[in-house]
Amino acid sequence: MKEPSAANAFQAEQARLIVTSYQQVVGETFPVAEAEELYHAPFAVLSHNTDADPILTYGNLFAQELFEVCWGDLVTMHSKNTAEQIHRNERNRMFETMRLQGYIRNYQGVRISALGKRFEIQNATIWPLLDTEGKKQGEAAFFADFHRL
């Protein structure tokens, strides 16, 4: 997948999946509607696929900067690597809870950048990505609140 840009309509299909799934699952309007807005939004948006060991499929500029990773490295990164080994069990429990409840709000957890900088995300919303037929295509998260540790 190429980095979102005007040349590829800012990955409009993935952006649409993120926004419409949020609206469908959470029942609220997502803070931005257009793919370009999503890529340049003042909050982090990430998604991963449905592999047994999921790979990130999207991360807007805010997320790339926070996780200190370029687009090409982001979309080849295992999602679990956004958390240190000691925090992965807690992260896994969060995803199990999200799958049972449908989505999660107000999640907080410790994450780590590609360069080893730790930070805590707060007030995150995590939800499944559902295509137009209701088939799960992955999971997504968005948050604006974090603090460096």
Side-chain angles (χ1 to χ4, degrees):
M1 183 182 291
K2 295 195 184 256
E3 182 172 2
S5 68
N8 60 32
F10 290 90
Q11 294 295 349
E13 186 175 325
Q14 183 69 17
R16 188 171 20 265
L17 178 64
I18 289 168
V19 170
T20 59
S21 292
Y22 178 88
Q23 293 173 179
Q24 177 184 352
V25 173
V26 178
E28 296 176 1
T29 303
F30 196 74
V32 298
E34 302 298 322
E36 184 174 1
E37 290 177 298
L38 185 67
Y39 193 60
H40 295 284
F43 50 81
V45 179
L46 295 148
S47 66
H48 64 221
N49 63 20
T50 59
D51 291 354
D53 188 3
I55 303 286
L56 292 170
T57 54
Y58 185 89
N60 67 354
L61 286 172
F62 189 105
Q64 289 174 53
E65 290 172 13
L66 185 59
F67 285 94
E68 298 181 301
V69 64
C70 68
W71 175 265
D73 291 338
L74 180 121
V75 295
T76 60
M77 175 191 259
H78 288 275
S79 179
K80 69 183 178 191
N81 292 335
T82 61
E84 293 172 288
Q85 184 68 40
I86 62 170
H87 295 288
R88 289 184 189 161
N89 285 338
E90 183 275 328
R91 180 182 173 277
N92 291 339
R93 282 191 300 276
M94 175 274 300
F95 276 112
E96 289 172 15
T97 301
M98 183 271 303
R99 291 172 189 135
L100 289 172
Q101 294 178 183
Y103 69 94
I104 287 184
R105 280 188 190 268
N106 301 317
Y107 171 75
Q108 66 181 46
V110 176
R111 295 296 180 265
I112 191 163
S113 77
L115 299 180
K117 294 179 186 165
R118 299 171 72 238
F119 56 95
E120 182 178 45
I121 63 173
Q122 299 169 326
N123 301 315
T125 301
I126 296 96
W127 70 99
L129 296 175
L130 305 174
D131 66 19
T132 56
E133 297 172 3
K135 183 178 177 189
K136 188 173 178 181
Q137 299 298 318
E139 294 162 330
F142 99 87
F143 61 91
D145 300 334
F146 71 94
H147 69 271
R148 301 213 185 266
L149 300 174

